[in-house]
Amino acid sequence: MNTARTLTGSRTGALAGTQVGARTGTLAGPRADAQTGTWPYGPHAAAMLSFNQLPSRWLHASRWTSLLPPGWPVPAADNGPGHRHCSALILRQLGAGAAPITDWQRPEWPLAVLPAPQWAQLLRRLGLMLVQPVLRQAIRGEQLRAAAAELGDDDLAWARQRAPRLPSALEEFAELPALTLLAARLPQLSAGLLAQGTAAAPVAMRQRLALRAPVPAPYRPDVGATRAAWALTLTLLDDLEPSWRSSFPGSR
């Protein structure tokens, strides 16, 4: 399945003006409405409502089979009724997490509605951070060729030369997989670091964000690790899209 089709974000011009999945003239509403906590406002209002009400539009490709009945087709991007039906089924499985998120100032919003291409790149870089030691230790030609074959030249160069150092609070989560297993390990590693970094978020935000990533391995919540993982996630996000967070109400 094409992940980009199932996630509603897409890059249309400057990211700060991205609108997702709805006509914002009717959804964004006046700023006065935002003060009641009922409606979001600003350039991301439609995306924020979609993230709240239509989780199927933000679902990671690997999550479909576990959340929908066997044999159900994945709705096309333009299948509004299909996404409403699938989203209702998904929300029923979230328990307390099905409650709408009405705090439009939450610092997780820039992550929540980051468009699909940038989200995929952010997840990949989170995973690369956790295999950074093995990549920086690779010095022989055959090692570097094996790593490049798994990750691509650009990601390998980023992890070895431009990525920030892994914070000490996260060193216990680092892995040293065989170079030929790097690509296979990255999705679960990135999901685990995302889960750790958002562990302090409200349950509704935390669960919806988790659905944008693969299922992570079990992890032990740790206050220090959560703070470090969240700070690292924001650092990587700002590196990818320097002005993105500043376009959200909670970042002004």
Side-chain angles (χ1 to χ4, degrees):
M1 184 189 69
N2 187 333
T3 304
R5 287 186 63 195
T6 62
L7 303 181
T8 51
S10 61
R11 189 176 187 120
T12 54
L15 277 181
T18 299
Q19 306 288 341
V20 184
R23 295 187 298 275
T24 55
T26 57
L27 288 178
R31 191 181 179 96
D33 286 340
Q35 296 172 354
T36 68
T38 303
W39 298 103
Y41 61 90
H44 310 291
M48 293 160 92
L49 286 176
S50 171
F51 184 80
N52 247 331
Q53 300 169 357
L54 297 170
S56 70
R57 288 195 174 276
W58 303 85
L59 201 63
H60 191 270
S62 64
R63 296 276 194 159
W64 283 104
T65 55
S66 64
L67 291 172
L68 295 181
W72 273 48
V74 175
D78 60 355
N79 184 353
H83 276 287
R84 286 192 293 274
H85 198 172
C86 289
S87 291
L89 290 175
I90 293 168
L91 288 171
R92 287 188 203 127
Q93 299 174 63
L94 296 186
I101 307 160
T102 56
D103 183 354
W104 310 113
Q105 306 289 322
R106 289 295 313 174
E108 298 87 8
W109 277 116
L111 275 186
V113 299
L114 186 66
Q118 290 72 33
W119 174 256
Q121 191 172 8
L122 177 63
L123 281 182
R124 190 166 176 83
R125 287 190 173 183
L126 285 171
L128 287 169
M129 291 298 302
L130 294 181
V131 297
Q132 190 183 84
V134 74
L135 294 177
R136 288 186 167 170
Q137 291 167 15
I139 56 174
R140 298 197 306 271
E142 64 270 21
Q143 291 177 319
L144 295 175
R145 286 190 292 274
E150 285 287 299
L151 304 174
D153 291 333
D154 289 344
D155 281 344
L156 178 60
W158 180 85
R160 284 171 54 84
Q161 301 167 17
R162 301 191 302 277
R165 287 284 178 181
L166 188 67
S168 58
L170 299 175
E171 287 177 353
E172 67 176 283
F173 301 98
E175 284 202 8
L176 298 173
L179 294 176
T180 54
L181 299 177
L182 286 171
R185 289 295 297 135
L186 284 187
Q188 192 174 55
L189 289 175
S190 62
L193 197 52
L194 175 70
Q196 186 70 256
T198 57
V203 63
M205 176 67 81
R206 186 170 70 247
Q207 289 192 0
R208 283 173 171 81
L209 269 171
L211 292 179
R212 294 200 73 186
V215 176
Y219 69 97
R220 175 179 55 83
D222 175 86
V223 173
T226 291
R227 290 173 179 166
W230 177 244
L232 176 61
T233 300
L234 295 184
T235 295
L236 297 182
L237 175 59
D238 289 343
D239 182 58
L240 281 173
E241 295 293 342
S243 63
W244 177 244
R245 283 203 294 146
S246 66
S247 65
F248 287 79
S251 302
R252 294 171 187 167

